[in-house]
């Protein structure tokens, strides 16, 4: 069965550079979540989208932006990268968040970003 | 951002023991409560999504209960096995804001 695909799996960037992480949800899933997990830390919710619109916003820095496209894939854009942005970034997808139906979310394998 | 607390933070049990841990969350404006299992080097795996007060769900040896009025959920593992070793995360609400998890180690 198709799962959530994240690309790239690993990314190394220098300080002040820009990075774009991509997430391809499970087919027919209309909701995407982004999480950041720093070394030794809990996963932190960043932002979520339902039907291409932002639905909830968490602890996402102003230097980051995200969007969900017409094919439901999502991209997390990170600018002016800092050393502290080094983390594992997870994306998850689910179905029907906006309809008040809460179904389980399926996670991708994550993108490990290292800022040097 | 929801204040989610999980306890204990870590737990070591012997193979065959039964165990349980707690997820506490704000009871106001309850939406849903998710439980996830997260093994090292893997992505989180959904265990349960619970929405109704008094809900009780079961998957094999793992079960969960929900009390939305007092804001807590219990996860039970019966007859723990070494392969149950993982971090168990709960996430209430629309945002799936995770608690810090309970790290379970099952010793053979």
């Amino acid at each position: 069965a198709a799962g959530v695909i994240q690309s790239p799996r690993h990314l190394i960037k220098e300080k002040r550079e820009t990075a774009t992480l991509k997430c391809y949800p499970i087919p027919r899933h209309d909701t995407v979540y982004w999480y950041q997990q720093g070394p030794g830390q809990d996963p932190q919710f960043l932002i979520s989208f339902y039907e291409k619109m932002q639905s909830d916003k968490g602890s996402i820095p102003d230097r980051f932006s995200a969007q969900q496209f017409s094919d439901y894939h999502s991209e997390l854009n990170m600018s002016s990268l800092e050393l502290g942005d080094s983390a594992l970034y997870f994306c998850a997808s689910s179905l029907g968040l906006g309809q008040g139906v809460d179904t389980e979310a399926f996670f991708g394998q994550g993108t490990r970003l290292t800022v040097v | 951002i929801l204040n989610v607390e999980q306890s204990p933070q870590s737990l070591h049990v012997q193979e065959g023991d039964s165990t349980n841990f707690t997820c506490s969350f704000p009871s106001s404006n309850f939406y849903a409560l998710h439980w996830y299992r997260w093994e090292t080097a893997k992505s989180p795996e959904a265990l349960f999504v619970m929405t109704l007060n008094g809900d009780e769900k079961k998957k094999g040896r793992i079960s969960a209960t929900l009390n939305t009025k007092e804001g807590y959920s219990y996860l039970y593992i019966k007859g723990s096995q070494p392969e149950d070793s993982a971090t168990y995360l709960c996430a209430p609400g629309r945002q799936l804001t995770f608690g810090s998890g309970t790290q379970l180690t099952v010793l053979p």
Side-chain angles (χ1 to χ4, degrees), chain A residues 79-99:
Chain A
S79 62
S80 304
L81 286 169
E82 301 173 357
L83 296 178
D85 296 329
S86 295
L88 188 58
Y89 290 83
F90 281 104
C91 163
S93 76
S94 70
L95 180 65
L97 171 65
Q99 300 171 24

Side-chain angles (χ1 to χ4, degrees), chain A residues 68-89:
Chain A
Q68 186 179 30
F69 294 86
S70 58
D71 64 352
Y72 296 101
H73 94 272
S74 178
E75 295 184 3
L76 178 66
N77 297 293
M78 311 158 71
S79 62
S80 304
L81 286 169
E82 301 173 357
L83 296 178
D85 296 329
S86 295
L88 188 58
Y89 290 83

Side-chain angles (χ1 to χ4, degrees), chain A residues 5-7 20-24 32-36 44-49 60 65-68 73-77 89-92 107 111, chain B residues 95:
Chain A
I5 307 294
Q6 289 188 247
S7 69
T20 297
L21 309 186
K22 297 184 179 183
C23 171
Y24 296 87
V32 168
Y33 310 82
W34 284 98
Y35 295 87
Q36 176 192 59
Q44 297 292 320
F45 170 77
L46 293 178
I47 196 166
S48 63
F49 292 88
I60 184 169
S65 64
Q67 57 182 321
Q68 186 179 30
H73 94 272
S74 178
E75 295 184 3
L76 178 66
N77 297 293
Y89 290 83
F90 281 104
C91 163
F107 282 76
T111 294
Chain B
Q95 294 181 0

Side-chain angles (χ1 to χ4, degrees), chain B residues 24-80:
Chain B
S24 301
F25 52 87
S27 56
S28 58
N29 298 317
F30 177 79
Y31 184 77
L33 191 283
H34 293 234
W35 278 102
Y36 285 85
R37 181 172 179 273
W38 197 342
E39 282 183 77
T40 304
K42 294 184 180 180
S43 48
E45 172 195 356
L47 290 173
F48 305 111
V49 179
M50 308 177 81
T51 54
L52 298 174
N53 185 43
D55 239 358
E56 184 169 342
K57 296 208 171 180
K58 189 174 180 182
K59 186 183 282 189
R61 294 179 290 99
I62 304 177
S63 60
T65 60
L66 177 67
N67 184 321
T68 61
K69 294 182 180 178
E70 296 182 37
Y72 64 84
S73 176
Y74 294 137
L75 189 80
Y76 301 90
I77 302 179
K78 185 178 178 182
S80 303

Side-chain angles (χ1 to χ4, degrees), chain A residues 38-59:
Chain A
Q41 297 179 5
D42 309 326
Q44 297 292 320
F45 170 77
L46 293 178
I47 196 166
S48 63
F49 292 88
Y50 166 69
E51 280 292 343
K52 294 154 277 185
M53 299 287 289
Q54 179 184 307
S55 59
D56 288 289
K57 194 171 182 179
S59 50

